[in-house]
Structure formats: structure tokens, C-alpha cells
Amino acid sequence: MNTFIALSKKEMNQMTKEFKVVWLPIVYILLGLTQPIMMYFLPAILQSMGDIEGIIIDPSMAKPGGEEVLASTLNSQFDQLGIIILVIATMGIIQGEKANGMMAFILTRPVSITSYLNSKLLTHYVLAVLCITLGYAMSLGYTSYLFTSVPITRALIALAFYCIWLLFVITFVAMMSTFFNSTPFIALISIGVLFICRFCAGLHPFLDVINPASNSLYATTIIMTGDIEIWYSFHIVVTLLLVLFMMAIMHHFIAKKKF
């Protein structure tokens, strides 16, 4: 436990030196603000372009509900640009220490691979959750002010489901960072696979069972309708098993010194 705490402190110090604890929350706050503000002023922008033929504004569709705006924050901001930013921020989570020899140095000390990996994943996951929560809270506040209010219980449950998807994202990027040495390649593969997962969410019930991105889809469904189906919990369990499986693969890869 002492080793894990010491490694976690090292990770926090490293993220502080890289200013991740500063710029990453700011970016997600801006992402959270973008969607409600953009959707609020969109009718005015379209009306100012009224001279352009072919643009028809339906007054009944001019102002969406708060649930739709908050759900679109997850879909249009966090699951697109937000994923790209998070991958870029974490793509060197292990690759950087492989390249400079720090990982080999640390593991020659009385440090277990499990403690090493857990400290990496936990610190970056906590930072990601905090950033997402800040951006989500800003979006919720502005949505309630500019549109209609969203039930806080519904919003919190949706956030919890989204954080399950976030855990898979962080673990998958860490696994790619363990396998490969080129950060651009790590980012390309990670973004490609995660976007495919998100695109496939909702296409077929069987795919949703094994697709971690279905948790993000369920988050938006909960915001829109408030319905929580019993099988959602089964999908959470499958996602957590996938996370444990990826951690086991990383442990085996490092133990065999294939890096």
C-alpha cells in the first residue's frame, strides 16, 4: 500500500509539472459550456441569415428542452472532441516511462507491477472524472438557466454511467501505451477504436452487451427519459470485466519484458 501511495504521488506531481491539472479541467469546462450556449443562440444566428434561400426555421423547434441539451453535451462534446483530448492527454501514460527507462528503473526496485499499473490508472482516471464532472456541472447549470431544468438525480445517475465508459477509455489508452512506442500511433489507434465503439453503440442489443460505449448511450437515455432498465447493470459488469482483462494483459506484457 505504501508503494502504491508513493507511486500515486509521483504521478500527481508529474501531472502537475505538465500542467494537466490546469489545462485539462479548463478544456472540459469550455466543452461543457459550448453546447448550451451554442444551442441557445442558434435560432438567432439562423434568423440573421434569413436572406439565404432554403433556410426555414420552425418556431416549435427553436428552443429544445434541457434534457436534450444536456444529453447532446455528452454526445456532441464529450464523446467526440472530449475523447480526442483525453486520448492526447493520456497517450504517454506508460510509453513515456518506457522511452526514458524510468519504468525499467522503478520495476527493479521492490515495486510490484500491479501497484505500478494501479497508480497510473487511478490517478489519470480520477483526474478525468473530475474534469468531466466540472464540464458536466457547468453544462447542467447553464442548461437549467437558459432552457429547462434537468432533475438532479437523473443527471447524477447519467454521470455515473458515463464514468464507467470513461474507465474503459483510460484503461484502453493505457494498454495501447503499453504495447506501442510511437505516441502518434497510440493516439491514432485509440481514437479510431473508441470512435468505432461509440458509433456501434445502439446498433444491436448483442453488440451493446460487449460494447463499453453502450454505457455512454445509456447515460444520454437516462437524461432524456429517466428510465433505468435492469440490464444496464449487466453491461456495467461486462465493462468492468473488460477493464480487468486489459489490466491483466498489461501486467503480462510488462512481466515478460516485451517492451
Side-chain angles (χ1 to χ4, degrees):
M1 180 60 70
N2 291 335
T3 302
F4 170 76
I5 294 174
L7 291 173
S8 298
K9 289 181 178 179
K10 181 188 76 68
E11 287 300 314
M12 290 301 300
N13 290 334
Q14 183 64 30
M15 288 191 292
T16 303
K17 291 179 181 179
E18 296 174 354
F19 297 102
K20 287 183 182 180
V21 296
V22 176
W23 67 263
L24 200 56
I26 293 175
V27 168
Y28 275 95
I29 288 174
L30 293 176
L31 287 177
L33 291 174
T34 298
Q35 195 67 20
I37 292 176
M38 181 182 66
M39 295 188 71
Y40 182 78
F41 287 105
L42 184 60
I45 295 173
L46 293 177
Q47 287 178 357
S48 67
M49 301 170 60
D51 292 337
I52 300 179
E53 296 182 359
I55 296 181
I56 300 176
I57 301 175
D58 184 355
S60 64
M61 297 296 291
K63 196 171 184 179
E67 292 84 357
E68 181 182 348
V69 176
L70 188 60
S72 65
T73 299
L74 294 181
N75 279 332
S76 301
Q77 300 297 331
F78 292 166
D79 265 351
Q80 296 181 26
L81 186 58
I83 290 294
I84 295 175
I85 293 171
L86 190 59
V87 168
I88 293 174
T90 57
M91 62 185 179
I93 180 173
I94 294 178
Q95 181 275 337
E97 293 191 349
K98 285 194 305 179
N100 60 24
M102 181 58 68
M103 184 173 74
F105 175 77
I106 291 175
L107 295 179
T108 57
R109 300 298 185 267
V111 175
S112 66
I113 298 176
T114 301
S115 296
Y116 177 78
L117 290 176
N118 287 343
S119 65
K120 290 278 188 182
L121 295 174
L122 180 63
T123 52
H124 284 79
Y125 178 65
V126 169
L127 178 62
V129 168
L130 290 176
C131 294
I132 290 289
T133 302
L134 286 173
Y136 187 76
M138 294 299 293
S139 181
L140 177 62
Y142 266 75
T143 296
S144 300
Y145 177 72
L146 298 175
F147 300 93
T148 58
S149 61
V150 180
I152 187 65
T153 303
R154 188 187 300 182
L156 289 176
I157 295 175
L159 177 62
F161 271 85
Y162 192 83
C163 287
I164 299 297
W165 160 238
L166 199 63
L167 177 61
F168 176 84
V169 171
I170 294 293
T171 309
F172 182 80
V173 176
M175 185 174 68
M176 294 299 101
S177 185
T178 303
F179 291 164
F180 305 109
N181 296 320
S182 170
T183 49
F185 187 74
I186 293 170
L188 181 63
I189 293 295
S190 299
I191 292 171
V193 172
L194 294 172
F195 273 21
I196 290 173
C197 288
R198 189 60 186 87
F199 175 77
C200 292
L203 292 181
H204 193 277
F206 176 75
L207 289 177
D208 286 344
V209 173
I210 58 176
N211 185 359
S214 60
N215 293 288
S216 176
L217 178 64
Y218 299 152
T220 59
T221 302
I222 292 170
I223 293 174
M224 293 293 294
T225 65
D227 296 334
I228 304 176
E229 303 295 343
I230 188 64
W231 62 80
Y232 289 2
S233 58
F234 179 71
H235 294 177
I236 292 177
V237 172
V238 172
T239 301
L240 295 178
L241 289 176
L242 287 174
V243 169
L244 292 175
F245 178 69
M246 289 188 292
M247 292 180 64
I249 292 176
M250 286 187 285
H251 187 286
H252 177 76
F253 190 87
I254 295 174
K256 294 298 183 180
K257 298 186 183 299
K258 295 183 179 181
F259 55 89

